[in-house]
Amino acid sequence: MTSFLAIAVSGCNKPAGEAPNSTGPIKVGQFASLTGKEATFGTSSDEGTTMAIEEINAAGGVLGRKLQLLTEDTQSKPGEPATVVNKLIARDGVVAILGEVASSRSLEAAPICQQSKIPMISPSSTNPKVTEVGDYIFRVCFIDPFQGTVMANFATKTLNAKKVAVFTDAKSDYSKGLAKFFKEKFVANGGTITVELDYNGGDKDFKAQLTAIKAANPDAVFVPGYYTDAALICVQAKQLGLAVPFMGGDGWESEKLVEIGQDAVEGQYFSTHYHPDVGSERSKQFLQNYRRRWKDKTPDALAACAYDSVIVLAEALKRAGTTDGPKVRDALAATKNFPAVTGNITIDEHRDASKAAVILQVKDGKYKYLETVAP
Amino acid sequence: MTEVFQQLINGLALGAIYGLIALGYTMVYGVLRFINFAHGDVFMLGAFAGYYFAPLVNRFLPAQSYFGGALVLVLAMVVCALIGMLIEFLAYRPLRNRPKLTVLITAIGVSLFIEYTCQHAAVFGAAPRKFPDLIPATTWHIGGLVIASSQVIVLVTTLILLIALRFIVQKTKVGTAMRAVSFNEQAAVLMGVNINRIISFTFGLGSALAAAGGILYAMNYSSIEPLMGVQTGLKAFVAAVVGGIGNLPGAALGGLILGIVETFAGGIPGLSNYRDGIAFAILILILLFRPSGLLGKPQVEKV
């Protein structure tokens, strides 16, 4: 009976990815939060990815074949990434997976890609744990130890803050990681963390914690969360008369931050991957093409990173000369000084990209470029 | 010391909203002996009704005026009262003579149906939205205390609605009939009470209060989304149980206790993430010593 079962199981166990010598388009899978709490992350990423695929196909595709993008929505919910990535790999037979923005959701999909030996490139998940899952998991953005350092130095040097309160989303790996690295650096800089409080992503009432933060009398507040929560936190802080600078990370980058936060987010700061005002020739070109493709919309960092994830993958496919998972993996790992929109990308031994960060400030409802910090 | 008072104000405003929603749970339980789990979603629909009514009202009334805000509130309450009656008519009335468990499961189904229909892009979509400012956003500073106009409005509105509810239940004919049905349904029928009308009215009344809760919540926390009723509805249900389910002043009291405990827990570093857990743990403690709730009367099981 046991042996019969074993045969039955192994019979279904066809290797992941596409059959050798297939023709037709190369299938690339994408999972993104197109709806839900972090919907603008998924939408921006999807726009960047779609545009990159269209440009590559217009230029003749890769390995003589067109790229075909299959996109699945994770609804900004835990549990969904595993379901949709399993489907993309097992049913659709994609050769690579692109996604997600939120680290918790990338972390959910990464073990599946690793096990199926399908390379996964996260465009903008910054928690270090994501690529630690295995050697098939890559990213084209910086990681939180760097981002936390950037914001800690910014708080110390530019804001002249001595005492900072940290307000973390206890449900998010991204938020917890970024808070940790920020605290380490800020304390090393000679600052004090006056008070640390937590919330749960999706909460609406932050007044209890903000009242405690106000009582601790900090010079600034660091909120390493996502834009919906961050906007509500700024709104309620203003209602409580907590008038100190608020700072965040790349999770703040969304037009919704200003839409929900309005005048309460005015003057606040956050770090991210890219700003359309600065950058190379390549990023100027990207800005122009993006505006043409998406009805004059200005790309945000998540769109730029998603675009980069596609061109890095296409380049690796070319160098590998095949869509075979292990060979594409090796080619991705060998990416060196590749000129991308968000800077030159070199994949290091941890499969992360080491790149500069930019610090932005909300000014008149727009994101104003302040400075670039090199790693 | 200022912090304690500030948290008390925050907690009172939150608790008052829980109380409003809890009243709906408790009233329906009083007449039908079942928990209407779709009640939290009516709360959400109330907030969305306000979202859509606000621009309409602003066409002929100045934006951010107290009168305009009150009108939006009343309109949302009327819409939700109709929705509540419709839910009862379509989902619960056909099951009136079935076991209570059937109705309970149906209520969960109705709740999921509303939540997921509203998350569809063609209805509201899943993304959170900014709730328009209905009233002038002013803050008063008393000593170190900061009191927002929205918090005062929450407390005042809740108080007015509670007095109105008490009047309806105690002094009017329909209120007397409601109490009669809750005491003994069969006897009420024999006395000539139209059960269907009374149950429908109860759902309407409870849903209107939930809508008011929804608007006040959205005003205070400024963002709305289709799943906002899940957690809030659950908390309000617990508030109703703690106060003694079926007991109206108990629901309001339970709401206030829950709101205040939760807010104080939220302000303690290291515990802030467990605010819901701490609030629920204290409620379990209360129920251990008073199993029928703070104001509920213990029921004697007759053999």
Side-chain angles (χ1 to χ4, degrees):
Chain A
M1 190 61 192
T2 325
S3 63
F4 170 73
L5 271 181
I7 291 165
V9 169
S10 68
C12 310
N13 197 7
K14 78 171 170 44
E18 59 181 15
N21 311 321
S22 22
T23 49
I26 299 175
K27 287 181 184 168
V28 176
Q30 174 184 231
F31 67 112
S33 52
L34 297 173
T35 57
K37 229 156 53 66
E38 279 95 47
T40 71
F41 285 171
T43 322
S44 290
S45 299
D46 184 50
E47 285 170 359
T49 313
T50 308
M51 187 175 111
I53 299 249
E54 284 169 2
E55 284 181 8
I56 289 165
N57 285 342
V62 176
L63 308 174
R65 296 160 64 187
K66 298 266 189 235
L67 293 179
Q68 185 192 355
L69 181 67
L70 301 164
T71 303
E72 292 286 342
D73 181 11
T74 60
Q75 302 168 33
S76 313
K77 278 188 203 148
E80 287 297 318
T83 316
V84 299
V85 167
N86 262 322
K87 180 202 163 258
L88 284 170
I89 294 176
R91 187 126 60 92
D92 300 326
V94 297
V95 303
I97 293 279
L98 304 171
E100 234 247 35
V101 176
S103 297
S104 297
R105 294 195 285 274
S106 291
L107 275 166
E108 213 178 286
I112 300 166
C113 298
Q114 177 67 25
Q115 215 169 19
S116 322
K117 294 199 181 345
I118 294 290
M120 164 176 149
I121 309 176
S122 165
S124 39
S125 284
T126 48
N127 189 297
K129 285 190 278 180
V130 172
T131 50
E132 285 166 12
V133 169
D135 59 349
Y136 277 79
I137 317 300
F138 296 84
R139 79 178 104 215
V140 291
C141 57
F142 53 65
I143 53 176
D144 287 333
F146 171 62
Q147 188 171 206
T149 306
V150 166
M151 284 321 276
N153 288 341
F154 178 77
T156 315
K157 288 173 193 152
T158 313
L159 296 181
N160 262 326
K162 303 273 179 296
K163 299 178 295 172
V164 167
V166 178
F167 195 15
T168 316
D169 176 358
K171 259 187 185 171
S172 146
D173 290 308
Y174 158 75
S175 188
K176 284 187 286 186
L178 187 52
K180 175 171 161 263
F181 299 116
F182 174 87
K183 281 185 281 183
E184 283 170 10
K185 184 65 186 175
F186 188 70
V187 170
N189 283 350
T192 7
I193 305 291
T194 46
V195 67
E196 282 177 56
L197 287 151
D198 297 314
Y199 64 93
N200 284 313
D203 278 357
K204 294 278 180 291
D205 173 27
F206 302 98
K207 283 188 179 150
Q209 293 97 318
L210 287 169
T211 300
I213 289 177
K214 192 184 170 203
N217 204 12
D219 300 329
V221 183
F222 185 55
V223 185
Y226 293 126
Y227 59 88
T228 309
D229 303 326
L232 286 180
I233 287 168
C234 290
V235 169
Q236 293 177 21
K238 194 174 173 233
Q239 286 176 357
L240 287 171
L242 176 58
V244 296
F246 277 67
M247 305 172 285
D250 57 333
W252 280 35
E253 169 125 32
S254 165
E255 71 260 30
K256 284 267 175 190
L257 181 81
V258 177
E259 190 192 313
I260 298 175
Q262 294 186 345
D263 53 340
V265 295
E266 192 65 21
Q268 318 295 23
Y269 308 90
F270 65 93
S271 57
T272 190
H273 310 266
Y274 157 92
H275 190 272
D277 285 1
V278 285
S280 58
E281 272 312 302
R282 175 105 218 208
S283 69
K284 297 214 170 74
Q285 188 64 42
F286 168 74
L287 176 64
Q288 270 182 14
N289 294 346
Y290 192 91
R291 284 195 169 140
R292 200 175 311 135
R293 175 67 181 82
W294 301 109
K295 297 181 191 143
D296 271 341
K297 193 173 163 187
T298 302
D300 59 15
L302 306 165
C305 285
Y307 181 92
D308 282 354
S309 70
V310 178
I311 59 176
V312 164
L313 173 68
E315 165 72 14
L317 282 169
K318 270 183 216 159
R319 274 189 283 113
T322 166
T323 60
D324 181 38
K327 296 208 176 87
V328 177
R329 190 220 83 84
D330 292 346
L332 274 172
T335 304
K336 267 221 159 46
N337 230 354
F338 177 72
V341 170
T342 56
N344 285 353
I345 293 180
T346 299
I347 299 289
D348 63 18
E349 72 269 32
H350 305 296
R351 295 168 302 284
D352 303 325
S354 149
K355 285 190 312 191
V358 292
I359 296 175
L360 312 183
Q361 184 182 23
V362 187
K363 258 267 154 21
D364 305 322
K366 299 260 184 312
Y367 298 139
K368 190 177 137 233
Y369 168 78
L370 288 187
E371 57 182 289
T372 304
V373 186
Chain B
M1 205 54 205
T2 324
E3 194 192 342
V4 174
F5 281 112
Q6 184 72 57
Q7 295 291 34
L8 200 62
I9 294 167
N10 297 341
L12 276 175
L14 183 63
I17 296 169
Y18 287 155
L20 278 182
I21 313 167
L23 285 169
Y25 280 110
T26 247
M27 276 198 286
V28 167
Y29 184 85
V31 295
L32 279 182
R33 294 281 180 274
F34 96 100
I35 305 299
N36 177 19
F37 276 109
H39 195 61
D41 302 296
V42 176
F43 157 84
M44 174 274 291
L45 290 172
F48 271 92
Y51 175 88
Y52 287 108
F53 277 129
L56 293 180
V57 166
N58 286 345
R59 277 196 204 153
F60 51 91
L61 277 174
Q64 296 183 23
S65 62
Y66 288 103
F67 192 66
L71 188 59
V72 171
L73 183 81
V74 170
L75 286 173
M77 285 172 74
V78 170
V79 167
C80 282
L82 294 176
I83 292 174
M85 286 151 119
L86 188 72
I87 292 174
E88 191 272 327
F89 182 76
L90 292 178
Y92 306 144
R93 189 168 295 182
L95 302 172
R96 185 72 52 77
N97 297 320
R98 300 288 175 82
K100 292 288 175 244
L101 192 63
T102 318
V103 194
L104 192 79
I105 302 293
T106 309
I108 295 173
V110 171
S111 165
L112 291 173
F113 174 78
I114 297 177
E115 281 159 22
Y116 286 86
T117 312
C118 291
Q119 279 194 80
H120 192 278
V123 188
F124 301 148
R129 302 175 188 207
K130 157 96 183 138
F131 191 76
D133 296 317
L134 295 181
I135 54 159
T138 8
T139 44
W140 292 287
H141 297 259
I142 304 167
L145 285 183
V146 184
I147 303 170
S149 49
S150 57
Q151 288 175 319
V152 176
I153 289 292
V154 166
L155 292 173
V156 171
T157 313
T158 308
L159 204 63
I160 294 174
L161 289 174
L162 281 180
I163 294 170
L165 183 70
R166 188 156 181 85
F167 177 77
I168 291 174
V169 173
Q170 298 293 343
K171 304 278 180 207
T172 62
K173 209 171 161 189
V174 67
T176 315
M178 267 170 77
R179 283 183 289 141
V181 173
S182 107
F183 272 122
N184 189 329
E185 199 181 310
Q186 258 122 42
V189 174
L190 294 175
M191 295 299 128
V193 173
N194 183 341
I195 294 272
N196 280 342
R197 240 191 67 220
I198 294 304
I199 289 175
S200 194
F201 180 78
T202 309
F203 268 86
L205 199 58
S207 302
L209 291 177
I215 301 263
L216 295 176
Y217 191 83
M219 245 167 55
N220 231 0
Y221 304 116
S222 58
S223 116
I224 55 172
E225 39 119 2
L227 294 184
M228 65 188 277
V230 179
Q231 188 72 357
T232 321
L234 185 67
K235 297 237 185 83
F237 166 58
V238 174
V241 173
V242 159
I245 193 137
N247 184 303
L248 296 181
L253 180 68
L256 286 180
I257 293 178
L258 190 67
I260 291 171
V261 168
E262 193 191 314
T263 305
F264 274 102
I268 303 169
L271 288 182
S272 50
N273 184 32
Y274 302 103
R275 57 189 284 184
D276 297 350
I278 291 166
F280 286 128
I282 290 181
L283 302 174
I284 291 172
L285 270 180
I286 292 179
L287 288 182
L288 275 178
F289 292 101
R290 291 203 56 110
S292 43
L294 287 172
L295 301 185
K297 290 189 188 66
Q299 282 193 342
V300 186
E301 202 64 39
K302 275 179 252 170
V303 189

